[in-house]
Amino acid sequence: LPEALGYEGYVLEGTSQAGGLSIAIGCIMQTASVVLGIVPSNSNLDERIKNSKGSFRAFQTLCNDDEKRYSKVLQNLSYFDTKNMASWLKAPIVASVGGLDTTCPARDFFATYNRILGSKQIRYYPFSGHEGGGGVQTEQEIRYLQTFLEGR
């Protein structure tokens, strides 16, 4: 279908864990045309475990009494941390973060965002939580995609 519309590649979009996976897929597969992520997860995982943020707090329980296990968990998770693959991203990215998000804290995503070398945009919503701008951000994504596709 993409070829029939006159362009190649994929639009990867997601919120939270799906946003983090969209970024990871974009970095690894190198076939994305655009990556869109609302409050992306999977960034700065060592800090997310230490600070008990989102689904990564489960690793605290797993590692609570075993320093060797903790080191091994961090080593293995580093392969899935988008901050460690961010420089591979070739597609432009549009992302958003919420200043009050305690599930996927903005500062943790900036560990990835600051390592992206290509075209990137981020919208910071200082008073938003895990919705990261919600419908307003979705409208921003739609406008971005319209402009992107018109330029093809």
Side-chain angles (χ1 to χ4, degrees):
L1 182 61
E3 295 81 17
L5 296 174
Y7 66 93
E8 295 180 9
Y10 301 93
V11 174
L12 302 172
E13 193 274 339
T15 300
S16 192
Q17 288 182 345
L21 291 173
S22 294
I23 294 168
I25 291 167
C27 292
I28 294 168
M29 291 184 60
Q30 302 283 308
T31 55
S33 294
V34 176
V35 177
L36 307 167
I38 297 175
V39 297
S41 185
N42 293 37
S43 179
N44 213 25
L45 299 184
D46 51 337
E47 288 299 313
R48 295 208 40 210
I49 292 170
K50 280 189 233 173
N51 295 316
S52 189
K53 299 299 181 187
S55 60
F56 293 95
R57 79 174 58 114
F59 289 104
Q60 279 187 338
T61 304
L62 177 69
C63 302
N64 195 32
D65 60 347
D66 189 339
E67 187 64 35
K68 286 184 181 180
R69 183 180 299 147
Y70 179 63
S71 295
K72 189 70 168 172
V73 164
L74 289 181
Q75 178 185 358
N76 288 323
L77 282 178
S78 72
Y79 294 108
F80 303 96
D81 193 326
T82 56
K83 75 179 179 187
N84 296 326
M85 58 181 86
S87 64
W88 304 345
L89 188 62
K90 303 292 184 234
I93 182 171
V94 176
S96 72
V97 292
L100 302 178
D101 189 348
T102 58
T103 304
C104 297
R107 70 173 159 67
D108 287 332
F109 178 66
F110 278 108
T112 294
Y113 186 78
N114 291 334
R115 295 177 183 190
I116 295 171
L117 304 175
S119 175
K120 58 187 179 178
Q121 295 179 24
I122 193 161
R123 186 119 185 227
Y124 178 74
Y125 295 93
F127 303 110
S128 289
H130 197 54
E131 74 280 6
V136 172
Q137 183 62 24
T138 301
E139 290 176 18
Q140 293 286 328
E141 288 181 345
I142 291 168
R143 279 196 289 278
Y144 180 86
L145 282 174
Q146 284 177 317
T147 302
F148 178 80
L149 293 173
E150 288 169 2
R152 290 276 178 156

